Amino acid sequence: MTDRFTQRLNQAMDLRNIRQSDFVKAAEEHGVKLGRSHVSQYVNGKTRPRPEIERFLAAVLGVDARWLAGESVAFDEHPATFDDVEQAMNIEHRHDVEHHDAVAVRDDVEQMYRLEHTNLEHKSSIEHDGVEHESTVEPKVIVEHSVQPSSLNIGESTYASAPHRSGQEHIMEPQFDDDVQDPSFTDVPSSVTPEETKVRGRRTFTKSHKLDNVLYDVRGPVVNEAARMEAAGMHVMKLNIGNPAPFGFRTPDEVVYDMAQQLTDTEGYSASKGLFSARKAIMQYAQLKKLPNVGVEDIYTGNGVSELINLSMSALLDNGDEVLLPAPDYPLWTACVTLAGGRPVHYVCDERSEWYPDIDDMRAKITDRTKAIVIINPNNPTGALYPKEVLEQIVELAREHQLMIFSDEIYDRLVMDGLEHTSIASLAPDLFCVTYSGLSKSHMIAGYRIGWMILSGNKAVAKDYIEGIDMLTNMRICSNVPAQSIVQTALGGHQSVNDYLVPGGRIYEQREYIYDALNSIDGITAVKPKAAFYIFPRIDVRKFNIRDDEQFALDLLHDEKLLIVQGTGFNWKDPDHFRVVYLPRVEVLKGAVDKMTRFFSRYRQ
């Protein structure tokens, strides 16, 4: 039924002139958790919403929720209302409701189903819209002839409700039947093929409600569309993900050699926190970064930093706890806070001030539910590097409100222009801090999946939390042991990544080119990144009439076979930015910029 739902959703959107962004705006006004990516997945048939979200979509469209769900009823027989949605939401969240109710088909649909099948068994006739039909034929889908939809004003929370039928009625064939044209209110087909009777009552399985507001658009709907295009034989230029290997960056030979030599010694589990040799090397690295009060027991290895972020949020947060996160952010942070039951609260990073955190905005968003501040330094997606003065202000704020600090520093060894990275934990010996880093980016071994987190500072205030971290660490057994075995080699001796970061080095020269090239495109401006390998340019949305940046990303993909990530994918609230990964060689980046220049010269959304 997912295909049928998708087809009817798109059909109703066309009839009502509803855009994807209208659903999102309506959701905000009615307190429904529904993001851009969720709507995109419903429209593109990637997934199907839960019943209460289907009711909400039907209410926005002014159609019968049963019709939208794929049932054989008139699309406007009982148009859904927002009162229905509110009631459904309340029922969904009642504590005494049984588990099977969460996945049950709506009561009114079940009632209709029982009535139909009772009538079928007795071979009786039923009266449907004043016409006698044999019970072996399902009710037909009906639409009024020559009626116009009611006005829909999203901004004023006024939505179309389908008009009552009167006068001449015509039968509308559902869009999924290939032999009938797409219906409209002024030109409706006059014949219908009865739909096949469906067996009802089968148990279905829905995704967890914990995923309701979890998004990760770095690998989201636009990337799915790119994969579909590639499967159809098209070549797509990818500037969407920070994966060095496909762009010709190689792991240092010494690292590969040492892993090969140790493979037979790394076939079993390690200690849950990791190999002693790896954690000792990380501890020494922490000492060089001046992190206070760190011992080997404070180091945890993980299958990349991603796993450790998820683990540390799950160990910390109760439902409703708040965490301050940057906007824009790396979306995994927001997703993990949400998945753990917490509430992500985004503070603004100021583009006019080198993308540094807005301390006043951060301060204004602290409440009695706030537990921690997250910083991403160097920053993904902006490439910003925070100076010591900014970090000191954040520390003072955390000190004043007794907050934890989580610092994502995976790019701390990819800093340019002679600048130096400062770990915020080194400025906060009296606070409890968790610092994350790893080898994926600095040693070009993203696929090896080796990262770590370091607990530092005042660990006495986090004793119980640390017990929770230990419990979850033990439950996942251990991280990738062969990858752990090369940490000591990777962190010691010559750091080959430094050669990429100076004039003449690949990352430096690619940064220089992409910064100048993007700023030369009419309507595009960008702040020069100081670290990592990302740039986050601004789009003049008035010039290009852009209201939906996911649609912009899709249009760029379709028109120029160029894949980027839209700014809202990084929890940036406005559709006026996108992220470019500048890992490709300059000659490849030139081709990408040519595509963008051509696209923006003619694009209007």
Side-chain angles (χ1 to χ4, degrees), residues 272-454:
S272 294
K273 292 182 180 180
L275 294 171
F276 178 82
S277 62
R279 288 187 290 138
K280 183 73 171 181
I282 296 166
M283 185 197 77
Q284 292 169 338
Y285 181 74
Q287 291 171 344
L288 294 175
K289 301 284 288 186
K290 299 183 171 67
L291 272 62
N293 194 22
V294 175
V296 172
E297 70 279 2
D298 302 313
I299 312 294
Y300 297 74
T301 63
N303 296 301
V305 168
S306 301
E307 179 191 42
L308 296 170
I309 292 171
N310 194 8
L311 184 152
S312 53
M313 293 298 101
S314 297
L316 176 67
L317 299 175
D318 289 318
N319 290 342
D321 287 343
E322 295 177 358
V323 177
L324 290 180
L325 299 163
D329 76 339
Y330 179 58
L332 179 76
W333 275 103
T334 296
C336 288
V337 169
T338 303
L339 191 59
R343 178 173 176 263
V345 178
H346 293 97
Y347 61 85
V348 174
C349 295
D350 189 355
E351 185 173 17
R352 295 166 299 181
S353 299
E354 299 288 333
W355 285 113
Y356 298 158
D358 184 329
I359 304 301
D360 289 336
D361 187 60
M362 188 183 288
R363 179 182 293 107
K365 289 174 177 174
I366 295 174
T367 72
D368 58 358
R369 297 302 303 269
T370 307
K371 277 197 167 180
I373 297 173
V374 171
I375 69 167
I376 303 173
N377 179 40
N379 188 264
N380 175 11
T382 66
L385 178 70
Y386 302 161
K388 186 177 179 180
E389 310 83 72
V390 170
L391 298 175
E392 287 173 335
Q393 293 180 68
I394 297 172
V395 168
E396 188 55 41
L397 202 58
R399 186 176 288 131
E400 178 184 348
H401 294 276
Q402 301 184 61
L403 303 176
M404 293 172 55
I405 296 176
F406 293 98
S407 185
D408 184 344
E409 301 179 1
I410 189 68
Y411 299 98
D412 68 338
R413 294 179 295 283
L414 288 123
V415 176
M416 290 173 274
D417 303 327
L419 300 172
E420 183 177 347
H421 175 267
T422 300
S423 287
I424 193 170
S426 68
L427 308 175
D430 56 323
L431 302 179
F432 179 66
C433 299
V434 183
T435 303
Y436 305 83
S437 194
L439 303 179
S440 292
K441 313 299 183 179
S442 62
H443 288 74
M444 313 301 169
I445 51 175
Y448 285 28
R449 308 311 299 133
I450 179 62
W452 57 78
M453 65 180 180
I454 306 167

Side-chain angles (χ1 to χ4, degrees), residues 216 218-219 223 238-247 249 330 380-381 410-411 414 439-447 449 507 532-535 563 565 570 579-584:
Y216 188 74
V218 175
R219 298 193 180 203
V223 177
K238 298 176 182 176
L239 304 180
N240 67 306
I241 194 165
N243 186 16
F247 301 105
F249 289 93
Y330 179 58
N380 175 11
I410 189 68
Y411 299 98
L414 288 123
L439 303 179
S440 292
K441 313 299 183 179
S442 62
H443 288 74
M444 313 301 169
I445 51 175
R449 308 311 299 133
I507 294 177
F533 33 67
Y534 309 107
I535 190 168
L563 178 61
V565 182
F570 300 95
R579 189 188 74 170
V580 172
V581 176
Y582 56 84
L583 282 170

Side-chain angles (χ1 to χ4, degrees), residues 159-177:
Y159 299 89
S161 60
H164 296 291
R165 295 188 303 275
S166 61
Q168 180 83 23
E169 290 181 341
H170 286 262
I171 299 168
M172 180 178 76
E173 180 66 7
Q175 189 174 355
F176 48 80
D177 286 323

Side-chain angles (χ1 to χ4, degrees), residues 5-23:
F5 163 79
T6 302
Q7 289 163 330
R8 287 190 172 182
L9 175 63
N10 282 279
Q11 179 183 358
M13 288 174 66
D14 289 340
L15 291 171
R16 301 299 200 198
N17 193 28
I18 300 292
R19 299 171 303 185
Q20 294 184 33
S21 58
D22 294 333
F23 289 121

Side-chain angles (χ1 to χ4, degrees), residues 19-193:
R19 299 171 303 185
Q20 294 184 33
S21 58
D22 294 333
F23 289 121
V24 178
K25 186 178 294 185
E28 292 174 353
E29 294 175 356
H30 289 272
V32 176
K33 290 185 176 180
L34 187 66
R36 290 173 180 269
S37 290
H38 294 123
V39 176
S40 178
Q41 290 181 30
Y42 304 153
V43 170
N44 291 301
K46 299 295 183 182
T47 187
R48 181 168 177 173
R50 300 189 317 278
E52 67 271 18
I53 298 299
E54 283 188 14
R55 280 196 186 94
F56 172 76
L57 299 176
V60 176
L61 293 164
V63 300
D64 193 311
R66 297 170 300 166
W67 175 83
L68 185 61
E71 299 300 320
S72 298
V73 297
F75 85 103
D76 59 348
E77 183 169 328
H78 296 292
T81 68
F82 291 107
D83 289 339
D84 298 333
V85 175
E86 184 176 353
Q87 182 180 9
M89 294 293 183
N90 290 337
I91 292 173
E92 181 65 28
H93 291 92
R94 276 172 42 194
H95 294 295
D96 60 343
V97 75
E98 295 181 4
H99 173 69
H100 67 82
D101 287 335
V103 297
V105 181
R106 291 177 296 275
D107 290 344
D108 53 349
V109 178
E110 286 292 305
Q111 184 177 0
M112 184 192 75
Y113 159 74
R114 289 194 295 270
L115 176 62
E116 289 178 2
H117 280 257
T118 300
N119 291 341
L120 280 169
E121 291 171 1
H122 291 87
K123 300 291 183 181
S124 63
S125 297
I126 62 172
E127 184 171 302
H128 180 69
D129 294 320
V131 182
E132 289 290 322
H133 297 278
E134 287 298 316
S135 61
T136 53
V137 179
E138 283 196 82
K140 297 177 181 179
V141 181
I142 298 175
V143 64
E144 185 178 5
H145 179 64
S146 298
V147 298
Q148 299 298 326
S150 302
S151 62
L152 180 138
N153 187 328
I154 295 296
E156 298 176 2
S157 301
T158 305
Y159 299 89
S161 60
H164 296 291
R165 295 188 303 275
S166 61
Q168 180 83 23
E169 290 181 341
H170 286 262
I171 299 168
M172 180 178 76
E173 180 66 7
Q175 189 174 355
F176 48 80
D177 286 323
D178 295 333
D179 58 340
V180 180
Q181 296 176 352
D182 291 344
S184 70
F185 281 95
T186 57
D187 184 12
V188 182
S190 58
S191 63
V192 65
T193 302

